[in-house]
Amino acid sequence: MANVSVYNKEGVQTGSIELNDSVFGVEVNTHLMHLAVVSQLANKRQGTQSAKTRSEVSGGGRKPWRQKGTGHARQGSTRSPQWTGGGVVFAPKPRDYSVKMNKKEKAAAIKSALTSRVNEAKIFVMEDLDFDAPKTKQVVAVLNGLKVEKALMVTVDVNNNLVLSARNIQGVRTVPVNAINVYDILKYDNLVITKDAVAKIQEVYA
C-alpha cells in the first residue's frame, strides 16, 4: 500500500496514511481516462445549434433569369448558398453529442486518475479543511504551506466556507467527494484531499 503524509492547515506534516492499492495503486489506463474526459466534455454540449439548408429557406422558387444570353452566370434559385439570404451548405442541425461509458469504465478511469496523482507525488492529504469563516487568505496560506498553486480541493461534503474562500483563487477548484471526476483530477496539477474524503473514496471504489 502507498504511504502518504498527512498535513495540517499550516502545511506541517502530522502523520501518514496508507492508501488502498485497489483504488490508489491500480494500473493506469490512459485510454479510459481519455474516454472519460471526452465523455464529460461531450455531454456538456447542448447540441441545439441549427441553421437552414437551401431546401428550408423561403423563396427562390423562380429561376432569376434565363439560362443563356444575359452575360450573367447561370442561376437556378436566389436561395442557393452563394446568394445573400440563401441556405447554408451542410447546415448544423440539433443532435446528441453524448458519449456513453458504463459504470465499471467510469470507476476504472477515476482510479487511474487517482493513482496517477499518487505516482507523481501530487496528492496532499489534509487533517481537515474546516474554517471558521470564509476568508481567501486562509486557503492561500494552506496552498503556500503545501507549496502548490493549482489544486483540486476535495472534502466529504460541501464545505461552504471553503467554497467561498477558494472561489476567487485562479487555478483552484473545490468539490465534494461525490462530485470528483477524471477531468478535474487531471486538469488541476495537485489533489488536496481530506482524510475523511480519502476514507469515503476507498469505501466507494475499493
Side-chain angles (χ1 to χ4, degrees):
M1 288 188 176
N3 198 298
V4 298
S5 300
V6 177
Y7 300 89
N8 60 19
K9 289 194 285 287
E10 287 72 42
V12 178
Q13 183 179 344
T14 58
S16 61
I17 184 174
E18 283 192 348
L19 301 178
N20 193 326
D21 282 344
S22 63
V23 179
F24 294 93
V26 302
E27 183 179 350
V28 177
N29 190 323
T30 54
H31 168 68
L32 281 182
M33 289 195 296
H34 175 262
L35 185 60
V37 171
V38 169
S39 174
Q40 183 172 339
L41 295 179
N43 294 347
K44 285 183 177 180
R45 299 184 67 174
Q46 288 183 314
T48 55
Q49 60 177 344
S50 182
K52 292 182 179 181
T53 64
R54 62 180 294 173
S55 66
E56 297 167 318
V57 178
S58 62
R62 178 171 177 253
K63 187 174 174 66
W65 51 75
R66 66 179 191 270
Q67 180 79 347
K68 303 172 75 68
T70 63
H72 293 295
R74 55 196 172 191
Q75 300 291 335
S77 170
T78 58
R79 290 299 174 259
S80 297
Q82 72 269 25
W83 284 71
T84 300
V88 177
V89 181
F90 306 127
K93 293 296 178 185
R95 54 168 288 194
D96 181 13
Y97 287 95
S98 63
V99 176
K100 293 183 180 179
M101 287 183 71
N102 63 43
K103 289 183 180 179
K104 288 185 178 180
E105 286 177 328
K106 289 179 182 176
I110 286 181
K111 290 179 184 179
S112 291
L114 292 171
T115 299
S116 71
R117 285 291 166 258
V118 174
N119 293 344
E120 296 167 7
K122 290 185 175 180
I123 183 170
F124 299 89
V125 180
M126 308 293 296
E127 289 181 345
D128 66 77
L129 286 170
D130 297 327
F131 300 107
D132 296 332
K135 288 187 179 179
T136 300
K137 64 181 181 181
Q138 293 177 324
V139 177
V140 172
V142 170
L143 298 175
N144 290 340
L146 298 174
K147 295 182 173 62
V148 301
E149 295 181 1
K150 198 173 183 181
L152 177 67
M153 307 185 81
V154 183
T155 53
V156 172
D157 300 308
V158 176
N159 185 327
N160 289 324
N161 284 342
L162 176 63
V163 171
L164 295 173
S165 299
R167 65 181 178 179
N168 286 333
I169 305 174
Q170 188 174 7
V172 175
R173 176 173 167 79
T174 59
V175 294
V177 72
N178 62 358
I180 61 170
N181 57 79
V182 176
Y183 177 74
D184 283 340
I185 294 172
L186 297 180
K187 178 181 178 181
Y188 298 90
D189 293 340
N190 302 281
L191 182 63
V192 178
I193 184 170
T194 63
K195 286 176 65 176
D196 292 342
V198 170
K200 187 67 175 179
I201 289 174
Q202 292 181 152
E203 177 186 334
V204 173
Y205 292 101

